[in-house]
Amino acid sequence: MFPEYDIIVVGAGHAGCEAAAAAANLGSKVLLVTMNMQTIAQMSCNPAMGGIAKGQIVREIDAMGGYSGIVTDISMIQFRMLNLSKGPAMWSPRAQNDRMLFAATWREMLEKTPNVDFYQDMVRSLIIKDGRACGVITGLGHEIKSKAVVITSGTFLNGIIHIGEKQFGGGRVAEKAATGITEQLVELGFESDRLKTGTPPRIDGRSLDYSKMEEQKGDDEVVGFSFTDTNKPVEQRSCWITYTSQKVHDILKTGFDRSPMYAGRIEGTGPRYCPSIEDKINRFAERERHQLFVEPEGWNTIEIYVNGFSTSLPEEVQIAALRQVAGFENVRVFRPGYAIEYDYFPPTQLKHSLETQLISNLFFAGQINGTTGYEEAACQGLMAGINAHQKAKALDPVILKRSDAYIGVLIDDLISKGTEEPYRMFTSRAEFRTILRQDNADIRLTELSYRLGLASQERMDKVISKKDGVEKIKNILKEISLEPSEADGYLAENNSAPIKEKQKAIQLLLRPNISLESMIAGLPKIKQALTGFTDEIIEQADIQIKYNVYIEKEKELVKRMNQLEDLIIPDNFDYNRIVSLSAEALQKFKKIKPRTLGQASRISGVNPSDVQILMVYMGR
């Protein structure tokens, strides 16, 4: 009934979709197996993509030839660039999306991708032979063979949904859980554990009084996520901000004795950085109110997502509390918030390629690795899809370093440090965030993607043109000199000190209140010289010139770090013969099996002296 595939991808969430697209676009024959063809690329939680650090990840996925950025641009209903008051390393794009259009666009793009087949069924076990994954067995009993398998199971592995004292099996509300895989993997020697996440109530937007809330409009300029020329919305929908109150908190507290979280019915650890409303009240008892974001679910729907009100309290308590929120006095609830706990596999059991250490040709991506968030899942899916293809074709794995991308930081964090709570990406996790900016993801990653065969010639040509344009602007500004009579009026308007003698334009640009955009607008000589350059190239030149000192310092740090990253530890290295290692370092090295000395140095519990001892023994 089924041919043999190169890659089988289990699950069609954000990780599964990117994995299938990447492997197929590289030339592998892919089967995407999902329990429900109608929920491909479902936005299970908030209808938004990007945000702080997450926006950088989506742009990196796009530069690597993934689909998330394109789908986000096509389906967005609002765009905002966050943190513009800070330096460019912190700028993070975020989009509010039409939930249904997002999923429909993803499915359409996958259906148009050659080499992707689909099948609706549950995968209940893997076919393992000689320590290698070589197919799956479905709930209907079909044996489907493949050269590699990527599991992207999301919250479905033995998922349990909690609403107050009610609990029932499910991977999402109204969708059944997946069984069989955890039990098989544990039997094979894998370690598994439980995590939990939650979601807020969905409500009827017609029942809200928006006059009592603060309007939050999108940016005037919609930059978007994809470096391709995607169609972006001309108009945008507003979001709204309101707040809880002490009265809201008091009502919520009445349900704490029936809360699955406080009654001990939930075993899994929840996300520290996206806590439930009851967790916020408990942990931040001194706060009289918490911010709520009222977010539309699409262009043509009345459904609203209440961001910040994630909860698993009894339904009647949720509704009573919501009705005390300003603007929510007459709220009608479509469905209550709920918590879901599910199985995951601590990611220290993986290689940097996202292949498991125990079973070759078996890859994990997304929430099965302990992460939370669409963006974190999607980038893992992309890399797992690439590396499953590489393994199936007997090619070298593709591994991004911490200095290459936020994607590299995320994967290295998971594998070197593990996680006991849902992992979420932040800019603070990246030690080289000055060079890992959202604006230069194409410059950093497109060449690699092009060499692999994911990025098109058109994309590569665009990056070359961008780099050439930036260098031309730098050279022009080094050549142009400005007299005090030409510059002082402009400088005064921008609260910058006058110049006493002729000065190069590039020197003026280093001043804190001066931008290249304002120089073009206020200095005719600059405007004339830079006519014809795109806004994107002008912004890139501005950033590179103004932050050159910091960028060069960071590049030096990268060089030093890469000296350790280039020292590969052999797979068969015997740690037991190093008697001077600390007991904790010996245990961690044997469990995690670091690939390089750099990775070994980042494992929690490992001291610098342990790394030095390891280096000495490797030298021998």
Side-chain angles (χ1 to χ4, degrees), residues 118-290:
F118 303 85
Y119 188 64
Q120 179 171 298
D121 200 351
M122 183 181 82
V123 169
R124 61 177 169 85
S125 63
L126 306 169
I127 301 172
I128 309 288
K129 287 185 179 174
D130 303 320
R132 181 174 62 87
C134 49
V136 301
I137 300 172
T138 73
L140 292 174
H142 299 297
E143 289 194 17
I144 313 173
K145 301 286 181 63
S146 66
K147 293 174 183 170
V149 177
V150 182
I151 300 181
T152 65
S153 49
T155 59
F156 280 77
L157 289 183
N158 294 318
I160 297 176
I161 292 171
H162 297 266
I163 304 173
E165 294 171 303
K166 302 167 188 171
Q167 64 179 59
F168 45 92
R172 256 190 308 252
V173 73
E175 295 183 56
K176 65 180 182 178
T179 56
I181 290 178
T182 298
E183 293 74 11
Q184 182 190 17
L185 291 175
V186 168
E187 207 171 290
L188 288 166
F190 284 87
E191 175 192 345
S192 78
D193 210 335
R194 300 282 277 175
L195 288 178
K196 84 124 185 146
T197 188
T199 191
R202 305 317 199 270
I203 62 177
D204 187 336
R206 298 170 302 182
S207 65
L208 300 181
D209 183 351
Y210 293 100
S211 67
K212 295 182 179 179
M213 306 180 203
E214 302 167 25
E215 186 174 9
Q216 188 180 54
K217 293 184 176 181
D219 291 350
D220 291 335
E221 182 189 8
V222 179
V223 178
F225 288 88
S226 181
F227 292 98
T228 61
D229 297 321
T230 53
N231 291 323
K232 302 175 185 75
V234 178
E235 296 180 359
Q236 299 182 62
R237 283 201 69 177
S238 290
C239 295
W240 304 81
I241 297 172
T242 186
Y243 298 88
T244 63
S245 64
Q246 193 58 55
K247 197 166 185 181
V248 173
H249 299 176
D250 291 342
I251 292 171
L252 289 169
K253 286 176 185 174
T254 65
F256 277 18
D257 61 331
R258 291 179 287 157
S259 162
M261 187 165 64
Y262 295 113
R265 287 188 294 277
I266 291 181
E267 300 169 15
T269 307
R272 189 182 356 158
Y273 305 105
C274 187
S276 64
I277 189 67
E278 53 263 42
D279 206 18
K280 287 180 192 175
I281 294 168
N282 199 37
R283 280 166 51 189
F284 308 107
E286 73 284 358
R287 293 195 186 173
E288 293 181 0
R289 67 177 194 170
H290 293 283

Side-chain angles (χ1 to χ4, degrees), residues 575-576 578 581-591:
Y575 294 100
N576 288 316
I578 311 179
L581 277 178
S582 69
E584 185 174 5
L586 179 61
Q587 181 189 21
K588 294 284 178 67
F589 288 158
K590 286 165 71 176
K591 180 181 178 182

